[in-house]
């Protein structure tokens, strides 16, 4: 029996690191984003997908277990197949926290909009934030930059003409949402400090319900890849 | 007669009558992608050489080596009909020559801080890195599709269908000695 357990243990340690299944637009294995930041970002990315067909995935990995970032990220896109099969408008923003590496992987349908050089410049502009440990801002700069390059802004405004509920500028909307979530984080933290001895379960519940109040614009649409293809375009960097 | 034909057809459809040509199409597509990405790299080089020349004209030797290696690499273009182990080796040798010349150039460039901070050069460097990565991806996919195709051709029962109907030959796979880039990697001297 002990031999068997040992065998299982060895099998587990020997296997290469797996890519997790696609659970949402933001997969955060280390929790560098707060709950509300993650929810807000997820909702924005869901809106972008339904409006423009651009499926941007944020993947913050704990480590790569000996893999290199280029191989790790193409393995992820091979598994997830972000973007629709006909348009191939998938984007992956992947970070490996232990190795301090970051990469932008560009789907085939967006290679004309986001060249390798542009992706490289974007990576260079966000790594200073990562160096300082300000990961949330760095990710935001990356996501905003990618959506800008992919011309989501103009698409969002043209859609906004038809649908009055849509915001005019996506970048501004993102900023607004993040500031709002920071304020709410602050107040939640304050409340936690003031009323510390309430049951953990209850606090957890109020947390989620509060977030849902203004984060529900994205709805609860499911998030899955559509068969989009990647051929290794993009750029990598480190911090 | 017709009732006898149907089970026969069902038998063959399970044994590669469809999957064999499909696998061949996959190979053709992945080989086209490999050549496409190498061409993309070759297209970047004139611009790169011109930019470097502006700052480091004294590195003529390294630059001509790159230009010559590029010419050799663009000459060896192999349509899928002519793809066999020998031509594949030729092709990858020419490309590996260009990879070696390019990486030597990139080492030389380290001595020119003005060039390295040039905006145009930075962009070219990103594009070159991106293209090298695309080449790696395309080559890995070629290796995968060839593996699948060769399995279809050699492993029964699909191989029986192949020898009866299609008579496809095994396709060439990348070998370790094809990947000569490592051997050509430049030595860093201080």
């Amino acid at each position: 029996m002990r031999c068997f357990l040992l065998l299982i243990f060895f099998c587990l340690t020997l296997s290469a690191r797996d890519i997790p299944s696609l659970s949402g637009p933001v997969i955060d294995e280390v929790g560098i984003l707060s709950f509300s930041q993650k929810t807000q970002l997820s909702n924005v990315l869901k809106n972008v997908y339904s409006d423009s067909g651009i499926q941007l995935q944020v993947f913050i990995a704990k480590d790569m277990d000996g893999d290199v970032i280029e191989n790790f990220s193409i393995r992820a896109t091979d598994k997830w197949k972000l973007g629709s099969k006909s348009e191939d408008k998938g984007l992956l923003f992947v970070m490996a926290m232990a190795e301090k590496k970051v990469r932008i992987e560009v789907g085939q349908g967006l290679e004309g909009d986001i060249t390798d050089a542009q992706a490289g410049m974007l990576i260079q502009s966000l790594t200073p934030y990562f160096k300082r440990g300000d990961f949330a801002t760095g990710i935001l700069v990356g996501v905003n930059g990618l959506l800008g390059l992919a011309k989501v802004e103009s698409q969002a405004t043209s859609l906004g003409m038809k649908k009055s509920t849509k915001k005019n500028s996506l970048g501004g909307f993102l900023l607004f949402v993040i500031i709002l979530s920071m304020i709410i984080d602050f107040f939640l933290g304050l409340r936690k400090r003031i009323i510390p001895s309430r049951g953990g379960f209850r606090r957890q519940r109020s947390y989620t319900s509060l977030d849902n109040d203004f984060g529900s614009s994205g709805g609860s649409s499911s998030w899955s890849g559509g068969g989009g293809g990647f051929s290794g375009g993009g750029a990598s960097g480190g911090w | 007669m017709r009732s006898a034909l149907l089970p026969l057809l069902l038998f063959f459809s399970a044994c590669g009558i469809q999957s064999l040509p499909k696998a061949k199409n996959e190979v053709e597509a992945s080989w086209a992608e490999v050549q496409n990405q190498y061409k993309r790299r070759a297209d970047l080089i004139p611009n790169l050489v011109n930019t470097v020349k502006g700052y480091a004209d004294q590195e003529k030797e390294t630059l001509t080596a790159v230009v010559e290696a590029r010419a050799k690499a663009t000459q060896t273009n192999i349509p899928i009909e002519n793809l066999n182990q020998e031509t594949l080796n030729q092709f990858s040798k020419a490309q590996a020559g260009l990879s070696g010349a390019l990486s030597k150039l990139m080492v030389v460039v380290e001595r020119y801080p003005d060039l390295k901070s040039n905006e145009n050069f930075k962009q070219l460097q990103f594009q070159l890195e991106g293209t090298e990565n695309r080449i790696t991806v395309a080559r890995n996919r070629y290796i995968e599709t060839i593996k699948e195709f060769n399995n279809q051709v050699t492993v029964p029962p699909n191989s029986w269908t192949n020898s009866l109907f299609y008579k496809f030959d095994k396709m060439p796979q990348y070998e370790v000695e094809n990947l000569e880039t490592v051997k050509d990697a430049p030595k860093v001297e201080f």
Side-chain angles (χ1 to χ4, degrees), chain B residues 149-161:
Chain B
F149 177 79
N150 285 349
N151 277 345
Q152 295 261 353
V153 170
T154 52
V155 181
N158 289 8
S159 62
W160 301 333
T161 312

Side-chain angles (χ1 to χ4, degrees), chain A residues 70 74 78 103 111 116-117 120-121 124 230-234, chain B residues 33 37 40 119 122-123 126-127 130-131 133-134 137 140-141:
Chain A
E70 286 84 7
I74 200 81
D78 277 349
R103 178 167 174 82
E111 284 185 359
D116 296 348
M121 295 294 176
Q124 277 193 342
F230 288 73
S231 55
Chain B
E33 176 72 2
Q37 296 301 355
R40 190 191 162 97
E119 211 51 41
K122 265 193 216 165
Q123 296 216 350
F126 280 128
Q127 278 178 297
T131 304
N133 186 46
R134 285 160 207 258
V137 170
N140 285 343
R141 288 193 178 148

